[in-house]
Amino acid sequence: MNKFENSKTNFFKIPPVHKILNLPVAQQLIDRYGHLIVVNAVRDILAEYRYNQKKKSNNNKIISYNDIIKLLKARISSETKDSLIPILNLSGIILHSNFGRALLPKIALKKTVDVLGSNYNLEYDVQTGKRSDRENHIEKKLCSLIGAEAVTIVNNNAAAVMLILNTLARRKEVLISRGELIEIGGSFRLPDIMKSSDCILREIGTTNRTNLSDYEDAVKSKTGLIFKAYSSNFTISGYTKIVDEKDLVNLSKKTNLPFVIDLGSGSIIDLSKMGFKFEPTPYDKLKLGVDLVTFSGDKLMGGPQCGIIAGRADLIKKINKNAMKRAMRCDKYTIAALYSVLKIYQNPMKAINEIPTLRFLTRTKDEIREQAERIYNIIEPLFREQIKVKIVNCFSQMGSGALPNLSIPSVGIAFKHCDKKKNGLFPIKFAEKLRKLPTPIIGRINDSTLVLDLRCLEKETDLIRQLQSLKNV
Ligand SMILES: *Cc1c(COP(=O)(O)O)cnc(C)c1O
C-alpha cells in the first residue's frame, strides 16, 4: 500500500459529523452553547484534520472520538470566551488610545445607561410636542463653557476636521504649514484627510520655518481656508519659526478666508492654573479671533468619544447643512454622556474631582506614594524570595497627543528578579503573567524592571488580590 492510499483509507476512518454530535459530551455542549457553534466547531476540526492529512503533517495518525471531543472542548471554550474585558491600566499613560482613552464620570455613566434603556426626549420638545434637535441638550452649555457663538458635534475629531474641510473648502486649496502636516496614530494623516474631504492641500513654508509672507503669497482665488493643526505627538526644535496666530487671524479677516485650528485635545479648563504647562484652550483660540476650532471629546476634556466643532454661527450653520453631517452625527449615548460631563464642568472645582481624566492628572505624588506603600507592605513579603519589589519614582504621561511634552512625576511599584542572571527576560515574562490574570494588569518595562505606575489606580484591592494570587511565580 503506498502512502497515498494509506492517507485515503484514513479519510474513511474520520467519524461522521452526526455521530460525533450524538455523543453525550457533544449533547451537553449543545445544551450549553447552542447547536450552531458546536456543529461548526466539529466541521472545522474535521476539515483541519483532512487538510493536515493531505499535507501529510499528521503522520497518518487516525483521529479518534476522544481526540475530537478534546479538540471540540478547547475550540468552543476559546470561541465563547469573553474578548472584551476590563484591564488595570498601570502603564502610566492616562489617556491610552488602546485602552479606550477617557473614563466617564459615574454620573455620566448612569445617565448614559438610562438613556439607552428608556425612551427620552432626545429630539422632542416636551412643551410644544414638536420635533427638536438632539444637539439642543448640549449646545448652550458647551457654548458658554468655551465662549463660542455656536457648536456642533460629530463622531470624532477626525470627522470634525473632514466635515469642516468638505463644507468650507471643497475643491479649493487649503493652506497649511509644512511643519503641521501631521500623522497621529490610527491613520489620521492630514494629507489623506484633505484628499478624502475633496480639498487640495497647499503646503506653506518649510518643515521648520514658515513666514506670514508665505501664507500671503499663497492666497489665490482658489483658496478655501487657512488651516492649522496642533502637532500633538512631536516637536520641531532648533532653527524654527511659526507664524503668530494673531497674524493668521488678521490675514483671514483681510482675505475673508476662514481660519480653522485643529486643537486635537482641547481642555475646557485652563490647566496652567493647576500648575501645568499652559495648554491652549478652545476658549483662548476663539477669543483670539479664530473662526473655528475642533477637538476630541475623549482627550483632555474627559468625556465620550466625539469631535467638537466650535466657533462662528454662520459657518456652523453651513456645516450642519452638509449631507455628510447626517452620516457623522452622534448617537444618543454620546449625547447623554457629553451632556452629563458638561453639567459637571459648570462647576470647574467639582470637575477636577469628578472627571476621572482630571482626577488622575491632578493626583499628587504624595497621595500616590501612600497608596504605593499600602500595596508594597502586603505584596513585598510574598515575593521576597524570588522577586525584588521596590517603590520607585516614575513619570506618567497624558497620552493620545495631549500635553505632549509633559512628564508628570508619579510613583510606581517595580519588580525585578533577585537573580541578576535572570533579569534579562524577567520583565517580559512577568509582564506576560500579569496580562494573563483575570483582570489583566498592564505595566511598563523600564530596563530590567517591570513598573506598575499607580497614578490611574482606583481599584486597589483588585490589584492586591490579583498580585497575591501570583505569589508562586
Ligand atoms: C487626536 C487628534 C485628532 C484625532 O482625533 P479623534 O477624536 O481621535 O478622531 C486629530 N488631530 C489632532 C491634532 C489630534 O491630536
Side-chain angles (χ1 to χ4, degrees), residues 101 156-158 182 184 188 230 232 262 264 296 298-299 400:
R101 288 195 189 156
N156 54 26
N157 190 33
I182 57 163
I184 62 161
F188 180 94
Y230 274 46
S232 45
D262 169 13
S296 298
D298 56 351
K299 290 186 181 171
S400 291

Side-chain angles (χ1 to χ4, degrees), residues 80-361:
T80 53
K81 211 172 88 188
D82 223 346
S83 86
L84 190 60
I85 53 169
I87 57 153
L88 282 177
N89 172 17
L90 305 184
S91 65
I93 297 166
I94 301 172
L95 295 172
H96 201 302
S97 286
N98 301 153
F99 306 157
R101 288 195 189 156
L103 309 186
L104 285 184
K106 289 227 162 63
I107 298 170
L109 282 178
K110 189 177 175 309
K111 191 78 176 177
T112 310
V113 171
D114 278 356
V115 167
L116 283 175
S118 316
N119 282 128
Y120 262 70
N121 63 337
L122 181 72
E123 292 180 349
Y124 182 76
D125 186 330
V126 188
Q127 301 226 312
T128 61
K130 292 207 172 100
R131 186 179 196 278
S132 73
D133 191 317
R134 60 177 63 199
E135 292 186 11
N136 285 354
H137 300 287
I138 54 113
E139 191 176 10
K140 263 206 199 115
K141 287 185 192 64
L142 195 48
C143 281
S144 79
L145 281 170
I146 61 178
E149 221 173 81
V151 295
T152 189
I153 54 169
V154 285
N155 186 49
N156 54 26
N157 190 33
V161 171
M162 287 183 81
L163 187 58
I164 290 176
L165 292 172
N166 183 266
T167 309
L168 304 178
R170 191 163 162 255
R171 298 197 181 148
K172 290 190 168 166
E173 285 191 355
V174 175
L175 311 188
I176 175 163
S177 161
R178 284 202 164 86
E180 291 162 15
L181 284 173
I182 57 163
E183 165 174 339
I184 62 161
S187 68
F188 180 94
R189 309 182 88 205
L190 265 182
D192 299 338
I193 296 271
M194 296 274 169
K195 219 180 277 165
S196 304
S197 313
D198 208 3
C199 295
I200 305 150
L201 173 66
R202 179 78 162 85
E203 299 177 29
I204 305 294
T206 61
T207 307
N208 54 332
R209 288 176 73 86
T210 306
N211 298 301
L212 180 62
S213 60
D214 297 331
Y215 282 95
E216 288 168 337
D217 294 347
V219 175
K220 304 260 157 54
S221 60
K222 58 187 176 195
T223 311
L225 62 80
I226 305 170
F227 190 83
K228 191 177 168 87
Y230 274 46
S231 49
S232 45
N233 51 5
F234 72 99
T235 50
I236 299 177
S237 60
Y239 184 57
T240 62
K241 182 163 189 251
I242 53 166
V243 179
D244 201 77
E245 282 165 7
K246 190 71 206 167
D247 290 337
L248 289 179
V249 166
N250 292 337
L251 179 66
S252 96
K253 294 223 155 71
K254 210 163 68 191
T255 53
N256 212 14
L257 291 169
F259 176 29
V260 178
I261 300 186
D262 169 13
L263 284 170
S265 91
S267 178
I268 299 292
I269 47 186
D270 180 358
L271 294 171
S272 66
K273 287 189 184 130
M274 294 185 299
F276 292 98
K277 203 180 123 264
F278 178 73
E279 164 96 359
T281 63
Y283 179 90
D284 299 315
K285 297 298 150 196
L286 293 173
K287 203 166 164 210
L288 194 70
V290 175
D291 296 299
L292 290 174
V293 294
T294 77
F295 56 99
S296 298
D298 56 351
K299 290 186 181 171
L300 264 177
M301 181 171 166
Q305 176 190 308
C306 63
I308 294 164
I309 303 173
R312 261 169 59 188
D314 60 324
L315 299 180
I316 301 269
K317 204 167 166 190
K318 266 192 198 162
I319 286 167
N320 277 325
K321 280 191 184 142
N322 187 334
M324 262 166 84
K325 169 68 199 291
R326 177 62 180 78
M328 295 172 173
R329 80 168 181 195
C330 289
D331 47 53
K332 61 182 174 180
Y333 42 99
T334 305
I335 302 270
L338 183 60
Y339 166 84
S340 311
V341 169
L342 293 173
K343 267 184 93 158
I344 296 173
Y345 269 114
Q346 287 178 318
N347 180 353
M349 284 329 288
K350 216 168 101 188
I352 293 165
N353 286 322
E354 286 194 16
I355 294 174
T357 303
L358 298 180
R359 187 163 70 228
F360 295 150
L361 177 66

